[in-house]
Amino acid sequence: MKCVFVQLRCVPGKTYEVADELYKREIASELFSTSGDFDLLMKLYVDDGEDIGKFINDNILDIAGISRSLTTLTFKAF
């Protein structure tokens, strides 16, 4: 499993709706509200053989209220 962090910028006023939908889909290992350029920070795990970009596109970016995302891949835990 690969650990992936996804930051999400939401349409103003839609952050809680986006967070609720993410929880309904049971994708996130952890989900945080953040300050700065993005509204949410999500930690998730994707199977090693899975195409991460397709997984994010198919399971996250189709949620209404998301205006932008930034994905960070991880390589090693210390």
Side-chain angles (χ1 to χ4, degrees), residues 27 44-46 50-60:
I27 299 169
L44 58 104
Y45 291 91
V46 179
E50 185 104 30
D51 181 321
I52 295 169
K54 182 163 177 36
F55 179 88
I56 291 170
N57 189 65
D58 292 348
N59 295 287
I60 299 168

Side-chain angles (χ1 to χ4, degrees), residues 36-47:
D37 289 338
F38 292 88
D39 302 300
L40 297 170
L41 172 64
M42 178 175 43
K43 179 180 179 183
L44 58 104
Y45 291 91
V46 179
D47 288 330

